Amino acid sequence: MKKSLWILSALALAGFCMTGCLEGAGPVDGEQVDNDEYCDGQCGDSEYCLYSSDLESGECSACPVDCALENSLYPVCIVLDGGVGPVCVATANCPDGQGYAKDESGHYVCSNGDPIDDPAPEAGAGQFIRVDDVSTFEEACGKFENGKCSKDDPGADLDAIVVRKADGGYLYAKEIMAYSRGAEKDRVTERGVSGDPTAVLGKPDSLISYPDSGDCYYLQKDSNKDDYKFTFMSLGGEGGYVEVKMDDVFHAGDTVDIIELGNCELVNTHSGQGVSKSKVGAESMKVQVSISGEDGSWKVLGSAGKATGGIFTAGKITSDMLK
C-alpha cells in the first residue's frame, strides 16, 4: 500500500518516540517502524516508514521524522527542486510567483524576495513566554536601611528562559517582545540597576552548570569586576515583566525553567567575595505561555514560584495551553 508523503500534512499526530519506546510497548505516532511489517515493503530506499495510530499502519515519508510532530509550523515533508532535502516546510506548494527560500531560522518557506517571516502560529505550538515579577516589597528589597531598599537589584533577577523539550534538547529566548520594570524603589546603593532585558536572551551565563544547579555568576565569568557585565536583568519587583519569543516552537509535554539568581551561591561579585546560598533570596514569579504573544492569548503555567538553586521550574506545558 504505497503511501504518499503528502499525507503527512493532514495527520494530527501526538506522542513522538524519538529514541525508542518502552520494552514490549507497541509503536507510537511518528516512530520509524519496519517497512515490510507496517508499510508492506512499499517505501523506497530513500524513504522511511513512520507509524500512524490513526491508520494502525505506516506512512512512507522522505523525512526520517514526522514533520507535523517535530514542528507544527512546518508540517509537510518534501524534496525541493534540484534535489535539496528532504525538508519540512509550511506548505507543499508556493503561490504563483513565489519560490522556496531559507529564513533566518533555517527553515524553507515561500518567498517572493521580500523579507521572510515565520508562518502564522497554529494551535498546538507556542513560541512566546512571559515572566511577571510578583514579589512583595519585602521580598524585592530584603531588609531596609533608613527606609531604603538594601538590595542593589530589587525584584526577580532573570538570567535565562529555557524550554526543556520532552524529546530532548533546549529552546532559549531569542527576542524581547515587551519589557517593563516594576515601580522604582529608593535604594541604598547609587549604582545603576541591571535593567538590560537582553540579558535573558540565549543560554544561561549565570548558572553555567544548567541543567544542574550550582554557583550563580553575578558578573559574567572571566569579566572584570569593574566592567559591570551583569549576567541577568532585574525586573524591579511587583509589576515588572518581560515577554520573549523563543528560538523555536514548544509543544505539550515540554517544560519551562526560569533561571533566576535566587537561592544559589553567588560568585564573581563586585567585591570579589562570594555570597552564600543562605543569604541569596529568591523572588516570586508568574510564568505564562502563548501561541501568538497577543493580548488575551496568555495561559498561566506557574502562578507564584521561586527559584531553588537558581532554577524555577514553572511546570509542564499542556495541550489546553496551546489552543
Side-chain angles (χ1 to χ4, degrees), residues 174-187:
K174 74 170 184 178
E175 184 178 353
I176 303 296
M177 308 306 294
Y179 165 65
S180 178
R181 279 182 58 80
E184 282 295 333
K185 301 171 177 63
D186 290 335
R187 298 173 298 139

Side-chain angles (χ1 to χ4, degrees), residues 126-134 158 161-163 239-246 250 255-258 285-305 312-318 321-322:
Q127 200 167 7
F128 300 88
I129 296 178
R130 171 171 171 145
V131 181
D132 285 80
D133 193 329
V134 294
L158 303 190
I161 298 172
V162 186
V163 174
Y241 71 91
V242 64
E243 297 175 4
V244 301
K245 183 177 184 180
M246 305 303 289
F250 46 77
T255 300
V256 176
D257 284 340
I258 307 301
M285 296 169 282
K286 179 171 75 172
V287 179
Q288 302 174 84
V289 298
S290 168
I291 293 175
S292 65
E294 297 176 352
D295 291 344
S297 69
W298 296 97
K299 305 293 178 63
V300 176
L301 180 62
S303 58
F312 167 39
T313 299
K316 184 175 291 187
I317 299 168
T318 68
M321 297 174 185
L322 301 175

Side-chain angles (χ1 to χ4, degrees), residues 92-288:
N93 298 292
C94 290
D96 291 343
Q98 294 192 14
Y100 289 104
K102 189 179 292 187
D103 66 10
E104 62 179 12
S105 64
H107 292 106
Y108 284 90
V109 298
C110 296
S111 172
N112 59 3
D114 294 332
I116 301 171
D117 295 323
D118 288 338
E122 299 178 2
Q127 200 167 7
F128 300 88
I129 296 178
R130 171 171 171 145
V131 181
D132 285 80
D133 193 329
V134 294
S135 59
T136 64
F137 188 72
E138 289 74 15
E139 283 179 327
C141 283
K143 65 180 181 178
F144 296 90
E145 299 178 17
N146 298 321
K148 294 184 177 181
C149 184
S150 64
K151 288 187 177 180
D152 287 341
D153 306 288
D157 300 324
L158 303 190
D159 169 20
I161 298 172
V162 186
V163 174
R164 285 187 279 126
K165 297 293 292 177
D167 55 9
Y170 302 90
L171 307 181
Y172 304 100
K174 74 170 184 178
E175 184 178 353
I176 303 296
M177 308 306 294
Y179 165 65
S180 178
R181 279 182 58 80
E184 282 295 333
K185 301 171 177 63
D186 290 335
R187 298 173 298 139
V188 173
T189 182
E190 294 184 355
R191 77 156 175 80
V193 297
S194 52
D196 179 4
T198 62
V200 304
L201 301 181
K203 298 179 180 180
D205 56 0
S206 170
L207 188 65
I208 61 175
S209 59
Y210 179 83
D212 297 322
S213 59
D215 294 342
C216 290
Y217 283 82
Y218 185 79
L219 301 174
Q220 293 178 13
K221 186 180 180 182
D222 301 326
S223 68
N224 188 297
K225 66 183 180 63
D226 297 321
D227 290 341
Y228 286 84
K229 293 182 178 179
F230 297 110
T231 58
F232 64 95
M233 55 87 75
S234 169
L235 286 178
E238 187 173 11
Y241 71 91
V242 64
E243 297 175 4
V244 301
K245 183 177 184 180
M246 305 303 289
D247 58 13
D248 208 336
V249 294
F250 46 77
H251 303 87
D254 297 343
T255 300
V256 176
D257 284 340
I258 307 301
I259 312 304
E260 197 259 343
L261 279 70
N263 186 241
C264 56
E265 185 98 6
L266 287 188
V267 297
N268 205 32
T269 63
H270 293 300
S271 66
Q273 302 295 317
V275 180
S276 67
K277 179 177 179 178
S278 62
K279 295 182 179 180
V280 180
E283 280 71 42
S284 299
M285 296 169 282
K286 179 171 75 172
V287 179
Q288 302 174 84

Side-chain angles (χ1 to χ4, degrees), residues 39-52:
C39 289
D40 290 346
Q42 296 300 306
C43 298
D45 292 340
S46 60
E47 290 186 314
Y48 302 85
C49 182
L50 304 180
Y51 183 74
S52 167

